[in-house]
Amino acid sequence: MSRVVKRAFKYRFYPTPQQADLLNRTFGSVRYVYNRALAERSRAWTQEQRRINFADTCRMLTTWKADPDTAWLYEVSNVALQQGLQHLQNAYVNFWGKRARYPTFKAKHKSRAAATFTTSGFSWRNGQIKLARTDQPLNIIWSRPLPEGADPSTVTVSRDSAGRWHISILVEDTVPTLPPSGSAVGIDAGITSLVTLSTGEKVTNPRHEQRDRKRLALVQRRLSRKEKGHDKKNRAKARLKVARIHARMSDRRRDLLHKLSTRIIRENQTVVIEDLTVRNMVRNHSLARAIHDASWTELRRQLEYKADWYGRTVIAIDRFYPSSKTCSACGTIAATMPLNVRSWECRCGAVHDRDVNAAKVILAAGLAVSACGDGVRPTRT
């Protein structure tokens, strides 16, 4: 069996000077429209208790383009501007659905510069993509082929802080459903080990940030010595060196998580994880850097969408479930379990590795949730 899913294929590309200039102006225009629409929607609600929807912001965009002060909005593709308003609408929908915080303004130097084009904003011919208002196709490095017969529905062009240009192409792809597997696994996220599986396997945490910490500290010190406004070119070069180190760490981290999540999904029918609140956990300043480097949220995201693709199941148990303190053999809950305790013995005589035991308890709790359809919390004895 197989199913049709929407997949985004991301590639590097190298724009001509004219294309780079147009795209940079497009990024700025999209950011301006997004921020202005956000300001109008916030003002209308706080001052008038009036809700502005997506159609209203599109009419506002037409008015802004007619204003001589913002007539420069005509210089870029209107498709990209409308997609920026659509992204704002999606941000509000996620906020109303309690899946995200209230939308925030996009900063010029802190946000990833990006613009999205639907089919009316680009052309796809003979395996080449040409954006609206450009004179030639983009020079894309096809590091892997698109699915046969692919017909892109949306493309997103972006420039990261390291100055690299990327294009993300959304297409429909046929993904084969994996044959059923009788195995299930519980996953305990950690810092010493990136994850520990209920099978007893521990995946070493490569600590990408720690590998480049000395080099990163050096270039950051050099950047801090560059005065703003007086040494703009040298400051820009120094900032680029910092961004490239961060980009290298991010690429390594993402590559490892993709390989790990794909292997786990392929080998197991059911995957049980903890519903961790990383936002709260990073308030512990002693562990914040290591927690960010581990990227548990990204691992969960990859597991969930790959499980959906391949016909697997991911179960998230209660974040307050005492997995580390519960004996996987008899179910007894220990009174305390400090972080420095890496192995412990239950009164039933079972000796546990802290992380392996937690993974086993997570698996058992997840299977119980799946069986009865409700949360299960053990009783302290």
Side-chain angles (χ1 to χ4, degrees):
M1 294 180 61
S2 61
R3 58 177 303 185
V4 177
V5 299
K6 288 189 175 182
R7 296 183 63 179
F9 291 78
K10 191 175 182 179
Y11 304 93
R12 288 283 300 273
F13 78 97
Y14 296 88
T16 64
Q18 293 78 11
Q19 290 172 339
D21 177 66
L22 175 61
L23 288 174
N24 283 326
R25 285 187 283 122
T26 302
F27 296 153
S29 299
V30 170
R31 184 178 61 252
Y32 173 84
V33 168
Y34 182 98
N35 288 343
R36 187 167 178 178
L38 174 57
E40 288 293 332
R41 295 181 70 151
S42 299
R43 181 200 59 78
W45 177 255
T46 56
Q47 297 182 11
E48 306 172 17
Q49 294 294 294
R50 178 171 59 90
R51 181 170 290 182
I52 295 178
N53 58 29
F54 171 69
D56 295 330
T57 57
C58 287
R59 287 189 286 270
M60 288 179 182
L61 175 60
T62 303
T63 303
W64 298 338
K65 293 174 72 173
D67 187 342
D69 292 335
T70 53
W72 41 268
L73 292 173
Y74 270 114
E75 299 176 3
V76 301
S77 171
N78 188 62
V79 174
L81 300 180
Q82 287 189 332
Q83 285 302 301
L85 296 177
Q86 182 62 62
H87 291 162
L88 176 61
Q89 177 65 22
N90 295 340
Y92 269 101
V93 171
N94 290 331
F95 168 69
W96 294 327
K98 297 183 179 180
R99 294 183 295 271
R101 294 184 176 183
Y102 190 80
T104 58
F105 293 104
K106 293 183 179 293
K108 180 177 181 179
H109 299 293
K110 293 184 179 181
S111 302
R112 181 180 71 102
T116 300
F117 300 83
T118 54
T119 51
S120 57
F122 71 92
S123 63
W124 166 254
R125 294 190 183 91
N126 301 321
Q128 292 184 317
I129 291 179
K130 182 180 177 182
L131 300 178
R133 299 179 183 269
T134 58
D135 55 352
Q136 56 184 300
L138 299 178
N139 179 22
I140 301 173
I141 306 302
W142 299 100
S143 53
R144 56 174 175 165
L146 285 174
E148 187 176 354
D151 186 17
S153 59
T154 304
V155 299
T156 300
V157 181
S158 61
R159 188 197 69 242
D160 63 17
S161 57
R164 303 178 302 179
W165 295 83
H166 294 93
I167 183 169
S168 181
I169 306 173
L170 186 67
V171 300
E172 286 190 345
D173 188 20
T174 302
V175 176
T177 301
L178 295 175
S181 171
S183 61
V185 67
I187 300 178
D188 178 59
I191 294 176
T192 303
S193 297
L194 182 62
V195 294
T196 300
L197 307 183
S198 55
T199 58
E201 178 187 355
K202 293 187 176 183
V203 178
T204 304
N205 186 353
R207 297 181 180 271
H208 301 286
E209 186 271 339
Q210 193 175 61
R211 289 175 56 186
D212 288 329
R213 185 176 297 174
K214 290 185 178 179
R215 176 61 182 169
L216 180 61
L218 176 62
V219 296
Q220 285 178 329
R221 284 197 300 270
R222 290 175 178 172
L223 173 61
S224 67
R225 297 190 187 108
K226 303 295 188 294
E227 294 186 21
K228 295 182 180 180
H230 298 282
D231 202 5
K232 296 181 68 172
K233 289 186 177 180
N234 286 335
R235 183 175 175 81
K237 293 178 183 177
R239 186 205 57 78
L240 189 60
K241 290 182 179 179
V242 174
R244 285 174 176 169
I245 294 177
H246 280 294
R248 183 166 63 244
M249 291 190 294
S250 178
D251 289 344
R252 290 172 181 166
R253 186 181 300 118
R254 190 180 304 108
D255 179 67
L256 172 67
L257 294 179
H258 272 297
K259 291 176 180 177
L260 175 61
S261 59
T262 298
R263 177 169 71 89
I264 291 174
I265 290 297
R266 288 186 180 277
E267 295 176 353
N268 301 279
Q269 182 67 36
T270 304
V271 179
V272 186
I273 58 177
E274 288 182 290
D275 184 21
L276 299 175
T277 51
V278 176
R279 183 184 302 166
N280 294 335
M281 297 173 69
V282 295
R283 293 175 182 174
N284 182 339
H285 298 296
S286 300
L287 300 176
R289 177 179 286 179
I291 292 173
H292 277 302
D293 191 38
S295 293
W296 299 330
T297 302
E298 174 63 15
L299 176 60
R300 174 177 176 173
R301 186 189 73 85
Q302 292 183 13
L303 287 171
E304 289 179 336
Y305 82 74
K306 290 178 183 180
D308 182 58
W309 282 0
Y310 297 114
R312 302 307 202 201
T313 303
V314 173
I315 301 172
I317 68 168
D318 184 1
R319 68 191 64 167
F320 300 112
Y321 195 91
S323 57
S324 297
K325 299 191 294 182
T326 303
C327 175
S328 59
C330 67
T332 300
I333 303 177
T336 59
M337 190 63 61
L339 284 175
N340 62 339
V341 176
R342 307 315 303 172
S343 62
W344 58 286
E345 182 177 357
C346 180
R347 65 188 184 186
C348 70
V351 179
H352 300 296
D353 176 285
R354 178 195 182 101
D355 298 332
V356 174
N357 175 73
K360 291 179 179 179
V361 173
I362 290 170
L363 174 60
L367 295 181
V369 170
S370 177
C372 68
D374 195 5
V376 177
R377 185 183 291 274
T379 304
R380 187 181 300 277
T381 58

